[in-house]
Amino acid sequence: MEMFVKRAPKQVVDAMRLTVTNMIGTLPPQFFAVTVTTVAENLAQLMYSVLMTGYMFRNAQYRVELQQSLEQVALPEPQNKDVPDFAPGTQKKVTGEVIRWNNVSGAEKLDAVKYIELLEAEIEELNRQIEKKSTEESNDILEYLKTLEPENLQELTSTAGEDVILAMNTFIKRLLAVSPSQMKTSVTETSAPELAKLLYWLMVVGYSIRNIEVRFDMDRILGNPPKLAELPPGEDL
C-alpha cells in the first residue's frame, strides 16, 4: 500500500481516499465507534463495486493524460506567458515618504520607493500562495468524471475483459472464504476504519488489475509470452 502511494499519481491517491471517505463517512474514530454489519452476499457486491471503481480510475487517468497531451500539442504555450505587463519596481522617479503605523513604536516613516517594492513583494507572495492552493485543491480525474454522462461513465468499466471479471470474482471469493450456500446467511461485522482500509486496498487492487490487463494485452499483440514470474503463486497459464 505504501509503495502504491509513493508511485501512483497524487491525484489518483487523493481520488481514492475521497471516494472511500464519502462511502464510509467522516466521523472521527477516536470519538465514535461505528460498526458495520452485513451478510457475505452484500459485502461481495460492495467489494466488486470498489474493485471496478479502482479499475475505472485507471481508465480515467489514461484519458485525462491523453487529453492533456493533445492539448499541449494543439495549443503550444506562448513564449511570454509568465512575463508581466510591467517590470518590477518603480518606472518613474518617486520621491517622498510614507507614514506607517507600528503597533509598538507608533508612526514611522518609510521611503516611498521602498514602500512600493514592499507592496510588490507582498502581492507576488500572495499570488504564489493562491496558485499553489488552487493546484492542490483541483483534481483533474474527479473533475473529468463529473463531466461524464452516466453512459459515458459506464464506458470506463466496459473495457474489462472476461479475464478481469474472473480475476475479480476469484479474488473476492478467496477473501470471503464463504461457501455459496452461506452467502445470504453468513454475517460479517467490522469497524468503519477497518472497512475503509479494506475498500481503499481493493480500489488499489482494481487499479492494478487494469495495469496488468493493459500489459498483458500489449504482450498478446506483440506476440510476447506472459511473464510467469508476475503471476500469483500457484497459478499457471
Side-chain angles (χ1 to χ4, degrees):
M1 189 73 71
E2 294 180 358
M3 185 178 297
F4 175 81
V5 173
K6 291 179 180 179
R7 294 183 177 181
K10 183 178 183 299
Q11 291 191 344
V12 173
V13 176
D14 291 343
M16 289 183 175
R17 287 175 174 169
L18 181 60
T19 302
V20 172
T21 299
N22 291 337
M23 294 174 67
I24 301 299
T26 57
L27 290 176
Q30 63 268 32
F31 301 116
F32 299 91
V34 180
T35 302
V36 180
T37 304
T38 186
V39 295
E41 184 178 52
N42 294 338
L43 182 58
Q45 293 175 357
L46 176 62
M47 293 169 69
Y48 180 80
S49 176
V50 173
L51 283 169
M52 272 299 181
T53 301
Y55 184 96
M56 178 189 67
F57 277 143
R58 188 63 182 104
N59 274 340
Q61 182 190 346
Y62 281 134
R63 292 193 179 187
V64 170
E65 290 175 348
L66 177 60
Q67 182 177 340
Q68 291 174 344
S69 299
L70 293 176
E71 289 176 353
Q72 291 178 358
V73 173
L75 299 173
E77 295 184 0
Q79 298 296 326
N80 59 345
K81 176 182 177 182
D82 297 327
V83 178
D85 294 333
F86 301 95
T90 57
Q91 305 305 306
K92 296 181 180 180
K93 185 176 180 180
V94 179
T95 59
E97 295 176 330
V98 176
I99 298 178
R100 299 198 310 172
W101 183 263
N102 188 302
N103 291 329
V104 178
S105 59
E108 62 179 25
K109 295 180 180 180
L110 183 66
D111 183 76
V113 174
K114 294 292 184 181
Y115 183 66
I116 292 175
E117 292 176 351
L118 179 63
L119 291 177
E120 286 185 335
E122 291 179 354
I123 293 174
E124 183 178 353
E125 175 63 19
L126 286 174
N127 288 334
R128 187 188 65 81
Q129 293 179 6
I130 292 174
E131 183 178 356
K132 180 180 179 182
K133 184 176 181 181
S134 176
T135 302
E136 291 177 350
E137 291 181 351
S138 63
N139 189 303
D140 293 339
I141 294 178
L142 292 179
E143 292 300 323
Y144 171 74
L145 292 174
K146 291 178 182 178
T147 63
L148 297 180
E149 297 293 335
E151 58 271 17
N152 300 123
L153 194 62
Q154 190 175 1
E155 291 178 359
L156 294 176
T157 56
S158 62
T159 58
E162 294 181 0
D163 292 343
V164 169
I165 305 299
L166 177 61
M168 290 183 177
N169 287 326
T170 303
F171 192 75
I172 293 171
K173 289 179 181 178
R174 290 183 178 180
L175 284 178
L176 290 177
V178 176
S179 63
S181 60
Q182 296 178 329
M183 291 293 289
K184 295 181 180 295
T185 58
S186 179
V187 177
T188 299
E189 182 176 303
T190 185
S191 65
E194 290 300 321
L195 180 60
K197 292 179 182 178
L198 173 64
L199 298 182
Y200 181 74
W201 178 63
L202 288 172
M203 213 170 290
V204 173
V205 172
Y207 179 95
S208 302
I209 287 177
R210 177 53 177 156
N211 277 337
I212 295 173
E213 182 185 32
V214 171
R215 188 168 66 248
F216 276 20
D217 286 343
M218 290 297 298
D219 287 338
R220 292 191 184 102
I221 293 174
L222 298 175
N224 298 330
K227 299 178 181 179
L228 298 180
E230 295 181 356
L231 296 176
E235 298 289 343
D236 295 317
L237 289 183

